[in-house]
Amino acid sequence: MIHAVWLPLVLPFLAGPAGRRLAVSLPPRQALRLLTLTAAGLAIGSACALALLIVPGATHLHAVAASGHLLAPLASGSPDAVIAVAVTAATLLSWCATLLVRAADRRRRRLRQARGLAARSDGELVVLADDHPDAYALPGRPGRIVVTTGMLRALSAPEREVLLAHERAHLKDRHHLFTAVVDLAGLCHPGLRALREPLAYAVERSADESAATSVGDRRLTARAIGRAALAARTSSTAGRPRPGAALAATAGPVPKRVAALLGDHRLEKAARPLVRRAAAAALLTCLALSAGASLQAADDLHAGIEIAQGESP
């Protein structure tokens, strides 16, 4: 177990570079699903590794050894070192659990407050009297599209349709769940925080493509996204705080998104099949190695417990 258990704690640091390449090489929907799966899998693997590191040190406690019917502790090295590792792992695991609970509660409270604001409308669209150009999708049951009067004035009628189609795609495809999983995974392991940016890009690109399909005009979609972002960033008025879980068409690297909609040749070159396969293979390999190492470490631990119980030679 000593060697295998450390692998799930190291692999998340390798996911970031592959994730950034994957976000621009795979189709957006495939990219966001694979990035989310990888983040969740590696987070679970790292949590399992920490839990497994606690057990050998815990067997030095008389109560634990007695409950497990152990004749001797599981430690194969210096007892002081094993206990120190167990205490550190337990501290980190408790800290991660605390962060997850707090983040989930904070996310829930922010959404509840935002839904109270949007409850004034019976329909899908909520228009706020605010000169600052802004628009975002507010997940919930039902979901709402919130847009300010400033944003409506900044866009033409066809461009407004694009904006609404973009935000509608966020709600329909439940993009907030993907972002929530990756955000929470980043709290479980610092290496997974590098996946937040490529995931956010893939989410916005997926909504961009849905909007382009809905209106049937990629150039119009690119123009609407660009104008909306420019209006929001050059506005001289400060807008209301946007809810933390909201997804907006003006988020992320807008120039890169516009280039992708217009079929920029440099982007097409970056999306060569070889690069695409390599990036996907790197993430899947990290995921497979993490799962395999966790299972191997658990199996080794089980064998060690049987030996300590005197059931195996």
Side-chain angles (χ1 to χ4, degrees):
M1 185 184 84
I2 294 299
H3 300 293
V5 76
W6 295 104
L7 196 55
L9 299 175
V10 175
L11 288 171
F13 291 108
L14 305 179
R20 285 190 290 272
R21 177 60 65 181
L22 187 78
V24 298
S25 60
L26 274 185
R29 288 189 178 184
Q30 295 180 23
L32 70 91
R33 289 170 183 167
L34 183 53
L35 288 169
T36 304
L37 175 64
T38 300
L42 292 179
I44 293 172
S46 65
C48 290
L50 290 176
L52 291 171
L53 285 171
I54 295 172
V55 178
T59 59
H60 283 269
L61 298 175
H62 177 72
V64 174
S67 65
H69 306 288
L70 303 179
L71 303 178
L74 297 180
S76 58
S78 167
D80 291 340
V82 173
I83 292 174
V85 168
V87 170
T88 302
T91 302
L92 290 174
L93 196 59
S94 299
W95 182 55
C96 290
T98 301
L99 290 178
L100 286 175
V101 171
R102 289 180 177 176
D105 182 64
R106 183 167 56 250
R107 200 176 184 91
R108 183 168 52 252
R109 284 188 284 106
R110 287 178 177 175
L111 274 177
R112 187 183 300 118
Q113 293 171 357
R115 287 169 188 160
L117 174 66
R120 67 183 64 179
S121 173
D122 294 330
E124 176 190 52
L125 182 63
V126 178
V127 179
L128 300 180
D130 191 336
D131 290 335
H132 177 74
D134 198 10
Y136 52 85
L138 190 62
R141 296 184 180 180
R144 308 284 192 186
I145 298 174
V146 181
V147 61
T148 66
T149 52
M151 181 63 81
L152 293 177
R153 287 195 297 267
L155 303 179
S156 65
E159 291 167 348
R160 292 173 200 158
E161 290 301 319
V162 170
L163 187 69
L164 295 179
H166 177 102
E167 304 301 348
R168 193 173 291 118
H170 281 320
L171 296 176
K172 177 178 177 294
D173 295 333
R174 298 182 178 276
H175 287 161
H176 65 288
L177 297 180
F178 294 95
T179 58
V181 169
V182 175
D183 285 344
L184 294 177
L187 298 177
C188 296
H189 194 291
L192 296 176
R193 295 171 189 170
L195 292 178
R196 291 174 177 174
E197 183 179 345
L199 187 280
Y201 175 73
V203 163
E204 293 303 327
R205 282 284 298 118
S206 178
D208 289 343
E209 291 296 329
S210 294
T213 300
S214 177
V215 300
D217 190 333
R218 298 181 67 84
R219 296 190 68 84
L220 171 62
T221 303
R223 186 171 69 248
I225 297 299
R227 289 191 63 181
L230 184 63
R233 293 177 186 180
T234 59
S235 174
S236 58
T237 59
R240 305 183 187 188
R242 186 184 295 164
L247 296 170
T250 56
V254 175
K256 186 188 294 187
R257 291 166 50 199
V258 170
L261 284 167
L262 295 177
D264 189 283
H265 294 295
R266 290 171 296 180
L267 190 65
E268 293 174 355
K269 184 178 180 180
R272 290 174 299 187
L274 181 61
V275 177
R276 182 183 309 161
R277 293 194 201 100
L283 284 184
L284 290 174
T285 299
C286 287
L287 194 58
L289 287 175
S290 179
S294 297
L295 291 174
Q296 179 63 51
D299 186 63
D300 291 346
L301 180 62
H302 181 265
I305 291 174
E306 289 188 335
I307 292 173
Q309 290 174 335
E311 297 180 7
S312 296

